[in-house]
Amino acid sequence: MIKSFYMSVFKKHWLFLLIVSTVLILLQYTPYLYHRFQTRPGRVYLGAERYTPDYYVYLFYTNQGAMGRISVLDYYTNAAHDGSLVHIEYLIAGKIGSLFGLSLPATFYLFRTLTLILYVLVSFWFIGLFFKNTLFHKLTFLLSWFWGGIFGYFDFYQPPDLINRLTFEPHKFIGMGLFLIILTLLNNNFSCLEQNFVQLTQFFVAKFRRGKRNKEFPKGSRAIWLTKMWQEPI
């Protein structure tokens, strides 16, 4: 799987993916730039684009990482509780951002851009598993991003419009990428199981037909009979 990912993404189509990723990143920042330049004098734009309460919660997690914490605490309650690993990806992003002196919004947006690029690469590789023709591969990939999304019209998790999909929270890009990888692994394993099941079924069908044709019934227990059948060539 790693070899096919490398060959599909980096070896053959890197220029195509570089162009598409650049276009998607520019489109991803259009809401931010629009709000930024529409901010009136004397006011400060804090970077919220959509799902404003959620955005500040993610900054809250990122800030804890920048403060050096290794687990997430809920400072909005005075009840005693232990730290958790909920959304630890933001905690890690905050630690890395603090090393470079980045602000919390800058860390969030760079993290989102990075996860977008990773998801673009994974989705391109995943779609390539269904197409041997390069033209159909690229066309389907472009339609999945600029038309209806790779998950179709699953509105909550991947809205039909492009800007909403591009301004997803980073953990959703991570989740969708992992979903495609796990789906591929499960498909490979199920394919092996299906092949083994078909071969086993063909074996017993052939044995049954042979015994019926010769009008012979095995002597002894069924277990001994099945053992002998397994050892005999078809």
Side-chain angles (χ1 to χ4, degrees):
M1 188 179 73
I2 296 178
K3 182 179 180 181
S4 66
F5 178 82
Y6 172 79
M7 294 296 292
S8 174
V9 173
F10 298 106
K11 194 72 174 179
K12 298 180 180 179
H13 310 293
W14 65 270
L15 181 59
F16 169 77
L17 288 171
L18 178 63
I19 295 174
V20 174
S21 298
T22 302
V23 173
L24 292 176
I25 291 171
L26 291 176
L27 291 174
Q28 186 186 53
Y29 280 92
T30 52
Y32 175 85
L33 295 175
Y34 173 80
H35 288 96
R36 183 84 175 183
F37 290 113
Q38 289 295 318
T39 303
R40 297 178 181 179
R43 296 178 178 270
V44 178
Y45 175 53
L46 300 178
E49 295 174 340
R50 56 197 296 268
Y51 302 133
T52 303
D54 292 350
Y55 168 73
Y56 290 110
V57 170
Y58 302 138
L59 292 189
F60 172 73
Y61 296 149
T62 306
N63 184 50
Q64 293 192 43
M67 293 169 56
R69 288 200 52 83
I70 59 175
S71 61
V72 177
L73 288 178
D74 185 2
Y75 290 114
Y76 293 108
T77 178
N78 57 6
H81 64 282
D82 297 326
S84 67
L85 300 181
V86 175
H87 286 308
I88 192 175
E89 63 275 11
Y90 294 101
L91 205 70
I92 297 174
K95 291 181 182 298
I96 297 176
S98 65
L99 295 177
F100 295 93
L102 299 176
S103 64
L104 296 181
T107 300
F108 175 85
Y109 281 110
L110 288 176
F111 183 41
R112 189 181 68 176
T113 300
L114 176 62
T115 54
L116 169 66
I117 294 174
L118 293 176
Y119 179 56
V120 167
L121 299 181
V122 171
S123 62
F124 181 80
W125 163 76
F126 178 79
I127 292 173
L129 298 177
F130 301 91
F131 296 95
K132 293 183 179 180
N133 185 289
T134 302
L135 177 61
F136 289 157
H137 179 191
K138 292 182 178 180
L139 181 61
T140 304
F141 171 75
L142 291 175
L143 289 175
S144 72
W145 273 99
F146 292 94
W147 191 258
I150 196 171
F151 290 111
Y153 291 94
F154 191 11
D155 186 65
F156 174 76
Y157 210 63
Q158 194 170 30
D161 59 291
L162 177 62
I163 300 300
N164 267 334
R165 291 200 301 273
L166 292 176
T167 54
F168 263 163
E169 295 84 350
H171 67 272
K172 290 186 178 179
F173 286 126
I174 296 174
M176 291 188 295
L178 289 175
F179 174 78
L180 295 181
I181 293 174
I182 293 172
L183 186 64
T184 304
L185 292 174
L186 289 175
N187 178 67
N188 292 338
N189 291 332
F190 280 129
S191 297
C192 295
L193 291 175
E194 181 182 6
Q195 183 179 4
N196 293 335
F197 177 76
V198 170
Q199 292 177 352
L200 187 61
T201 303
Q202 292 174 345
F203 170 81
F204 281 107
V205 169
K207 287 297 184 181
F208 174 77
R209 288 178 176 176
R210 178 186 301 175
K212 186 176 182 180
R213 183 174 58 250
N214 297 334
K215 295 182 179 180
E216 294 179 355
F217 254 110
K219 297 179 181 180
S221 65
R222 292 174 179 252
I224 297 177
W225 177 46
L226 290 176
T227 303
K228 289 182 179 180
M229 283 178 48
W230 186 266
Q231 294 173 351
E232 294 176 4
I234 298 176

